[in-house]
Amino acid sequence: MSYDFHIFLQNEPRLPEIISALTQFKLSVEHSPTALPWQFDCYVGERDGNEIVDKPCLKVVGPISVFPDDLPTFSTNDLDRCKWKLEVSSRMEPDFLELAGKFGAFLVKSHKGTVYDPQDDQLIFPKKVLRKADSREIKLLSIQWLTSDEDFLSSKVKTLLATLQEMMPEALPMRFGRCLPFTEKLVGAGQPGFIAACRKEGTVFWRGRYPTLGGAIWRPSEFTRMKSSELPCVSVTLDFDCSWATASSENADRVAALFANLAEGMGCFYAGAAVRRRVTLVDGEVFLGPDAENWSFGRAACWDGIPLVKTWLTWFGSELKEEVAPVLDSRYVSMEGSFMRLSDKPMDADELNYLFPKLPDKVLNIETASGLFRKSLS
């Protein structure tokens, strides 16, 4: 698992300057002269018995040209004038994290700019910089996976974290907790700390990195387990900026692959990915105002049936797929009938109107109909 830093610079650093900055911290540097952008693999010498061995610690990629829309929204001329970026990936050890920050600060002092931590969404050099007021309307791609609570804390949550690390590290819970402000950090608590929070709190929210705009796990309370007539379950959700997913087929394919892999890996009996329109994004936080599209996947910790939501991606577990198989178009279904993908890129409800199948009434959750689409938002 790695931790990333972005170094934004006003002046383009030359190759000898980058290598010199790294070697001044007593690092061994491997550089491929044919790689574009440049890549630097850095190692630190550590004693192993009577020998000194090189241990990988940092990877640096860049410089890469950036534009104003690529920059974080902070009120500082040092950042507003930046035209170049280096990306630094560090191992999670505290010494290496500190080293990455010092390397970034060294370049910033000589080339003017800032060092940004995308996990915390904060500038770490220079510090104490106010954020610009930034508000815009977006489409939100919301995903929900539903699975049983059996073995969730012992194995399924580990599958969740391992799959995110491999396929979508931007979605990892870098900061998490029961409510804002999130006090726990994955870099400090690690996987055991995150699992402990799920066990203690039941409901845990988290922040990752763009294009992920938030995630959550809901586990049923003891009251829900005792009183509910429906099946108590665990709900895992992730939200993405839909514009990122629709920007390229590669991005859409990454989301679809993550969706299917997590649904299969966690033994989900249902999962869905749908687009919510007219959502407001304010300084990285999602707000569902009065104009936002109003629909629901249903109650988070109970299974009431398939929601009346037109989903771009859908996962049908072993029991559900037998019920819905007769009405599905085989052109859009794979993985033995469990995975349905209706288009190359995410589509909203109006766009899916003629593609989404009419599912049998007996598998539907009709209570979600009241929160479906209040009005057309095309």
Side-chain angles (χ1 to χ4, degrees):
M1 187 176 295
S2 63
Y3 199 92
D4 296 338
F5 297 91
H6 295 169
I7 305 170
F8 293 101
L9 302 172
Q10 295 182 26
N11 303 310
E12 182 181 9
R14 295 176 296 176
L15 177 60
E17 293 174 324
I18 298 175
I19 295 177
S20 176
L22 291 168
T23 55
Q24 75 139 353
F25 294 104
K26 300 181 179 179
L27 300 177
S28 300
V29 181
E30 291 184 357
H31 163 58
S32 173
T34 59
L36 289 175
W38 296 330
Q39 296 184 17
F40 308 87
D41 294 305
C42 306
Y43 304 84
V44 62
E46 290 193 352
R47 183 171 294 279
D48 183 9
N50 296 324
E51 297 183 356
I52 300 295
V53 297
D54 284 338
K55 182 177 181 180
C57 57
L58 303 180
K59 181 173 183 177
V60 181
V61 177
I64 306 166
S65 59
V66 294
F67 301 94
D69 289 346
D70 302 322
L71 301 172
T73 54
F74 288 89
S75 299
T76 166
N77 288 334
D78 289 336
L79 181 59
D80 292 343
R81 296 170 181 169
C82 288
K83 298 180 180 179
W84 303 96
K85 178 178 75 170
L86 282 86
E87 298 179 352
V88 183
S89 297
S90 167
R91 294 181 58 170
M92 298 289 272
E93 287 89 335
D95 289 347
F96 297 158
L97 295 172
E98 181 181 2
L99 183 61
K102 287 182 177 179
F103 165 67
F106 181 85
L107 280 182
V108 165
K109 289 176 183 177
S110 57
H111 291 78
K112 296 184 180 181
T114 61
V115 182
Y116 173 67
D117 179 344
Q119 289 84 195
D120 272 357
D121 191 23
Q122 291 294 332
L123 297 185
I124 62 173
F125 188 88
K127 297 182 178 179
K128 298 181 179 179
V129 177
L130 297 177
R131 180 179 292 279
K132 294 178 181 177
D134 179 46
S135 175
R136 58 191 177 96
E137 183 181 295
I138 66 167
K139 287 185 176 182
L140 191 70
L141 178 60
S142 293
I143 306 178
Q144 183 183 70
W145 292 267
L146 291 172
T147 185
S148 69
D149 197 29
E150 183 181 3
D151 298 328
F152 183 79
L153 293 176
S154 60
S155 64
K156 292 180 182 178
V157 69
K158 296 177 183 177
T159 298
L160 168 66
L161 295 175
T163 304
L164 292 180
Q165 172 63 36
E166 178 184 355
M167 304 186 69
M168 189 74 69
E170 302 94 326
L172 281 167
M174 302 311 301
R175 295 184 71 95
F176 58 90
R178 175 77 182 190
C179 57
L180 290 171
F182 298 146
T183 56
E184 298 289 337
K185 296 183 180 181
L186 191 65
V187 65
Q191 184 183 96
F194 182 74
I195 296 174
C198 293
R199 178 176 288 108
K200 177 184 177 182
E201 302 292 350
T203 299
V204 175
F205 300 91
W206 75 79
R207 289 286 300 274
R209 291 173 285 159
Y210 186 85
T212 312
L213 299 179
I217 290 174
W218 282 274
R219 295 181 61 242
S221 65
E222 290 302 318
F223 179 83
T224 300
R225 296 172 199 268
M226 290 187 299
K227 301 297 184 181
S228 177
S229 59
E230 293 84 10
L231 173 68
C233 60
V234 175
S235 169
V236 179
T237 66
L238 277 177
D239 290 331
F240 292 89
D241 185 345
C242 191
S243 64
W244 171 84
T246 57
S248 71
S249 295
E250 180 183 359
N251 292 347
D253 289 345
R254 282 187 67 196
V255 174
L258 175 71
F259 176 89
N261 274 266
L262 273 180
E264 184 175 40
M266 293 193 299
C268 293
F269 50 82
Y270 174 79
V275 175
R276 191 188 301 272
R277 292 170 284 185
R278 291 192 177 174
V279 172
T280 303
L281 188 67
V282 181
D283 292 342
E285 295 289 339
V286 173
F287 291 90
L288 303 181
D291 292 329
E293 193 164 24
N294 181 32
W295 54 258
S296 170
F297 277 123
R299 290 179 292 171
C302 282
W303 172 241
D304 298 327
I306 298 177
L308 296 182
V309 178
K310 292 183 175 65
T311 45
W312 166 55
L313 306 174
T314 315
W315 178 268
F316 304 105
S318 57
E319 294 184 11
L320 279 178
K321 72 177 181 180
E322 299 298 328
E323 299 283 354
V324 302
V327 301
L328 301 186
D329 189 328
S330 60
R331 294 175 298 174
Y332 303 119
V333 180
S334 60
M335 300 179 72
E336 299 180 344
S338 288
F339 178 43
M340 182 175 70
R341 178 177 179 177
L342 294 178
S343 61
D344 178 43
K345 296 180 181 180
M347 299 175 70
D348 61 40
D350 288 346
E351 293 167 331
L352 289 171
N353 207 33
Y354 297 103
L355 288 175
F356 196 80
K358 180 174 175 53
L359 300 175
D361 290 344
K362 63 181 179 179
V363 300
L364 298 177
N365 175 8
I366 60 173
E367 291 184 1
T368 57
S370 61
L372 195 47
F373 306 115
R374 294 181 304 182
K375 51 190 176 182
S376 177
L377 298 174
S378 56

